[in-house]
C-alpha cells in the first residue's frame, strides 16, 4: 500500500501541484480543503493528471471534529503537509483576526490530532516574508527574522514559533517549515494552475491576465529602488520545483532518527529577477507584447530578496529543475486555457 500523506489546502495552488508530485513519487495524497480560496474544478484537473480521483475531504482545518473524523478514517497517515491558510497580505491588515484564527487554529488542531493519532511528520508552509528586507543577500536560514509588516506575516512567524516550542518541549513531532520565496508557474499540462480571486495582487497572474486582455494595463510598482534597473527583485520559483521540495522535506523528516525535531529550509531558486526582467522574459516566451506603465512604489514592498538555497540542496538533496522561462511559459499556457474556458461559458 502506498504511504498516505494528508495534504491540507490540497485544492489550492501549491497543494494541488504537490498532490501531483506526491503521486508521482509513489505516495497517496489525501486532500482536505474547504474551498475558501479554491474550487472543486481543481479536483477535476487533478483527476485528469493523475488518471484517478484522489481522496478528498471537504472540511475546515480549524474544525476539530471534522478533522478528527478524517484522522480516524485514514488511520495510517504517514505525515501531514499543511498548506491550508489565508494568504492575502492586504486582507490580513483589514481583517487580522480572521487571519489569526484560521492560520493559527488550523495548525493547533492539526498538532493535537497528530499527537493523538501518532502521526509525527509535518511539513509546514512558511514564507520568505519572515525575513522582511534582509540586511544581507542572499538570505540564509540564519538571517534574522524581522518584525512582520502584516498580520499575515505574523501568522507565519507565530506558526514557526509554535512548531519550535512544541518540538523543544519533547513532544513526538518532527517538523520542517519551508520558507517559500515567490511561487509561480503551473503544471505543464495546463490542467491545474493558480486561480486568484478577483483582481490579482501578485505579479505573474496580473501579467498573464493583462496579456490575455482581461486587464488593461500592468502597473510596475516603482522604478527608483536600489536594484539593477530600479524595479524590485524577487526569487521566482516554479511551483513544480516547490512541490518536489515537499516530498524531499517529508523524506528528510522520515529519515531523521530523532523523535523531536524541527528545522527551517529556504525554498527558492537562488536567483533574483527584477520586475522588468520578468516582463521581458514573459514577452519573449509568450510572443505577446505587454501593456505596462511605471507607477509609484507599493507600500510595504521589500526592495530585494532572494534565497540562499545551499541548505535545501544539502539537507533535502533538492535542486530546481525549471527556469523562469519555463515558469512563465507554463503560467501563460494556463492563463490561455482558463481564459478560453471562461469565454466559452
Ligand atoms: P491557496 O489559497 O491557493 O491555497 C490554500 C488552500 O487552503 C485553499 O484551497 C483554501 O481554500 C484552503 N484553506 C484555507 N483555509 C482553510 C481551512 N481552514 N480549512 C481547509 N482549507 C483551507 O494558497 P497557496 O498559494 O497554495 O499557499 C499555500 C500555503 O503556502 C499557504 O499557507 C500560504 O500562506 C503559503 N505561502 C504561499 C505563497 C504564495 O505566494 N503563494 C508564498 C509563501 C507561502
Ligand atoms: C512581486 C513583485 C511587486 C504586482 C507576496 C507576499 C508575500 C509572499 C509572496 C506569501 C513586487 C511587483 C506586483 C503588480 C508589480 N506570499 N508587482 N505590479 O510582494 O514578493 O510577496 O507574495 O507568503 O508574503 O507579500 O509578491 O507577486 O505581489 O510582487 O510591479 O501589479 O512584483 O512590487 O516587486 P511579493 P508579488
Amino acid at each position: 500500500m502506498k504511504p498516505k500523506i494528508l495534504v491540507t489546502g490540497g485544492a489550492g495552488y501549491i497543494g494541488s501541484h504537490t498532490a501531483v508530485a506526491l503521486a508521482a513519487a509513489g505516495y497517496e495524497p489525501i486532500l482536505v480543503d474547504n474551498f475558501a480560496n479554491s474550487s472543486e474544478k481543481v479536483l477535476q484537473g487533478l483527476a485528469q493528471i493523475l488518471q484517478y480521483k484522489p481522496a478528498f475531504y471537504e472540511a475546515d482545518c480549524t474544525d476539530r471534529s471534522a478533522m478528527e473524523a478524517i484522522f480516524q478514517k485514514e488511520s495510517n497517515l504517514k505525515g501531514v503537509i499543511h498548506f491550508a491558510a489565508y494568504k492575502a497580505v492586504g486582507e490580513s491588515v483589514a481583517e487580522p483576526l480572521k487571519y489569526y484564527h484560521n492560520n493559527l487554529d488550523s495548525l493547533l488542531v492539526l498538532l493535537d490530532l497528530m499527537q493523538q493519532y501518532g502521526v509525527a511528520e509535518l511539513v509546514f508552509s512558511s514564507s520568505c516574508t519572515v525575513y522582511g528586507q534582509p540586511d544581507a543577500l542572499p538570505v540564509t536560514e540564519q538571517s534574522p527574522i524581522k518584525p512582520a509588516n502584516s498580520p499575515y506575516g505574523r501568522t507565519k512567524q507565530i506558526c514557526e514559533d509554535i512548531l519550535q516550542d512544541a518540538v523543544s518541549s519533547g513532544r513526538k513531532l518532527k517538523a520542517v517549515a519551508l520558507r517559500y520565496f515567490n511561487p509561480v508557474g503551473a503544471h505543464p499540462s495546463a490542467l491545474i494552475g493558480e486561480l486568484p480571486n478577483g483582481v490579482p495582487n501578485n505579479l505573474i497572474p496580473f501579467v498573464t491576465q493583462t496579456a490575455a486582455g482581461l486587464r488593461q494595463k500592468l502597473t510596475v510598482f516603482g522604478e527608483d529602488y536600489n536594484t539593477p534597473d530600479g524595479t524590485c527583485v524577487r526569487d521566482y520559483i516554479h511551483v513544480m520545483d516547490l512541490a518536489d521540495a515537499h516530498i524531499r522535506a517529508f523524506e528528510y523528516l522520515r529519515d531523521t532518527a530523532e523523535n523531536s525535531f524541527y528545522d527551517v529550509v529556504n525554498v527558492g531558486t537562488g536567483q533574483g529577477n527584477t520586475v522588468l526582467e520578468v516582463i521581458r522574459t514573459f514577452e519573449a516566451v509568450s510572443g505577446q507584447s505587454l501593456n505596462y506603465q511605471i507607477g509609484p512604489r507599493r507600500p510595504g514592498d521589500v526592495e530585494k530578496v532572494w534565497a540562499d538555497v545551499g541548505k535545501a540542496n544539502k539537507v533535502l538533496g533538492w535542486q530546481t529543475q525549471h527556469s523562469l522561462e519555463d515558469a512563465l511559459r507554463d503560467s501563460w499556457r494556463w492563463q490561455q486555457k482558463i481564459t478560453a474556458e471562461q469565454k466559452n461559458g
Side-chain angles (χ1 to χ4, degrees):
M1 223 169 74
K2 292 179 179 172
K4 290 182 186 176
I5 307 285
L6 189 70
V7 182
T8 75
Y13 174 42
I14 309 170
S16 57
H17 290 81
T18 302
V20 173
L22 279 167
Y27 294 92
E28 187 184 347
I30 310 287
L31 312 181
V32 183
D33 207 297
N34 64 355
F35 299 125
N37 193 39
S38 51
S39 93
E40 275 182 75
K41 272 197 171 175
V42 175
L43 302 178
Q44 292 165 21
L46 262 182
Q48 268 181 277
I49 297 171
L50 300 179
Q51 303 279 298
Y52 77 94
K53 272 189 180 175
F56 176 80
Y57 295 90
E58 185 171 348
D60 186 327
C61 295
T62 67
D63 180 341
R64 167 182 273 281
S65 58
M67 292 305 290
E68 178 152 15
I70 298 169
F71 273 76
Q72 257 166 11
K73 183 132 192 280
E74 304 292 348
S75 52
N76 53 349
L77 292 172
K78 297 291 178 226
V80 177
I81 308 183
H82 181 40
F83 294 102
Y86 295 146
K87 64 165 181 177
V89 174
E91 186 188 53
S92 81
V93 176
E95 297 187 70
L97 300 192
K98 174 176 163 179
Y99 274 67
Y100 286 117
H101 176 63
N102 196 48
N103 295 6
L104 304 188
D105 283 356
S106 57
L107 178 64
L108 293 171
V109 164
L110 270 176
L111 288 175
D112 281 353
L113 290 171
M114 287 175 68
Q115 188 178 47
Q116 199 177 324
Y117 288 85
V119 183
E121 281 91 1
L122 174 69
V123 182
F124 174 73
S125 301
S126 190
S127 167
C128 68
T129 194
V130 303
Y131 297 118
Q133 175 60 65
D135 302 325
L137 288 162
V139 65
T140 75
E141 292 80 359
Q142 274 77 47
S143 299
I145 301 297
K146 293 279 178 72
N149 65 6
S150 73
Y152 166 74
R154 271 188 282 285
T155 68
K156 292 297 172 192
Q157 295 180 342
I158 297 168
C159 285
E160 287 196 6
D161 288 345
I162 289 171
L163 293 175
Q164 172 74 76
D165 288 345
V167 165
S168 301
S169 72
R171 195 183 178 100
K172 219 176 158 200
L173 172 67
K174 302 199 251 183
V176 62
L178 298 182
R179 292 178 176 158
Y180 312 157
F181 283 65
N182 289 55
V184 293
H187 190 267
S189 65
L191 290 165
I192 54 171
E194 189 171 7
L195 273 175
N197 266 333
V199 183
N201 297 308
N202 294 114
L203 177 63
I204 306 308
F206 211 107
V207 165
T208 59
Q209 289 192 10
T210 305
L214 304 175
R215 312 261 157 225
Q216 215 208 335
K217 195 183 278 180
L218 169 80
T219 300
V220 174
F221 297 142
E223 61 163 355
D224 57 350
Y225 287 101
N226 180 24
T227 62
D229 60 26
T231 64
C232 292
V233 174
R234 297 288 184 276
D235 184 336
Y236 296 95
I237 176 169
H238 196 297
V239 68
M240 290 310 301
D241 281 331
L242 178 57
D244 276 339
H246 291 78
I247 286 110
R248 298 306 184 106
F250 167 72
E251 292 174 351
Y252 171 52
L253 294 175
R254 184 198 59 194
D255 297 342
T256 297
E258 289 166 63
N259 286 328
S260 301
F261 179 80
Y262 177 62
D263 208 351
V264 295
V265 182
N266 287 342
V267 188
T269 66
Q271 182 192 315
N273 287 103
T274 68
V275 178
L276 289 177
E277 282 169 353
V278 169
I279 291 174
R280 281 191 207 108
T281 308
F282 176 79
E283 290 183 326
V285 299
S286 68
Q288 305 288 309
S289 153
L290 197 72
N291 189 18
Y292 72 89
Q293 65 180 15
I294 306 294
R297 290 182 174 199
R298 180 171 67 175
D301 256 343
V302 160
E303 180 173 84
K304 49 192 169 198
V305 62
W306 64 93
D308 183 317
V309 289
K311 186 170 178 185
N313 297 160
K314 193 163 163 237
V315 304
L316 303 184
W318 167 91
Q319 280 183 333
T320 53
Q321 307 291 329
H322 300 88
S323 62
L324 180 63
E325 282 83 358
D326 297 333
L328 294 176
R329 200 179 293 117
D330 289 338
S331 288
W332 178 230
R333 198 178 291 143
W334 164 245
Q335 181 67 58
Q336 286 173 293
K337 162 143 182 284
I338 52 178
T339 310
E341 276 175 8
Q342 279 157 4
K343 278 191 185 139
N344 299 331

